[in-house]
Amino acid sequence: MGNILDIVINNNSDLSISNQVAEQLRKRIATNELKPGEAMPSIQALAHSLHISVDTTKQAYDILEKEHLIHTIDSEVSFVSDHSQWNYQQKELSQIKEQLKQVASTAKTYQISLEDVVTILKDYYKENKYI
């Protein structure tokens, strides 16, 4: 039998176990697999299911709480925040903006026009069926 949320721990990952758990929960929140207002598994139950420490699981929940993806009541019960998907998208959008700043800077350095950069981006989207 799998763990509660089918979270996979990779002991060879560069990410800590708590960050791996947080990232997989973050994705489930963003895709609405974990819906706003829904109760999260208890820290103890998830830790037991994943065969990891309660402290590690709490660290993962703390990460999500700092990102406002979940909120905890009385240090015991955690729920998916109502604005969790928006918060996650804003974080991702912020990361994309930073990456695009780097692309724009590199393009300017090599005197590549904005039009060429936009064309490349549009072509990539079309090739990968994002639009």
Side-chain angles (χ1 to χ4, degrees), residues 11-30:
N11 291 323
N12 296 319
S13 173
D14 291 336
L15 288 177
S16 68
I17 292 173
S18 59
N19 280 315
Q20 289 180 55
V21 172
E23 180 63 25
Q24 291 178 61
L25 290 172
R26 189 180 294 116
K27 286 178 181 175
R28 283 173 174 76
I29 291 168

Side-chain angles (χ1 to χ4, degrees), residues 32 34-40 69 71 78-84:
N32 227 20
L34 292 171
K35 297 177 181 8
E38 184 175 340
M40 299 286 292
L69 295 173
H71 63 278
S78 297
F79 295 91
V80 177
S81 296
D82 289 337
H83 301 289
S84 57

Side-chain angles (χ1 to χ4, degrees), residues 112-128:
I112 299 170
S113 72
L114 175 61
E115 292 78 16
D116 286 344
V117 173
V118 169
T119 298
I120 292 166
L121 185 60
K122 285 181 178 179
D123 289 346
Y124 178 79
Y125 261 62
K126 288 176 186 175
E127 286 173 14
N128 290 285

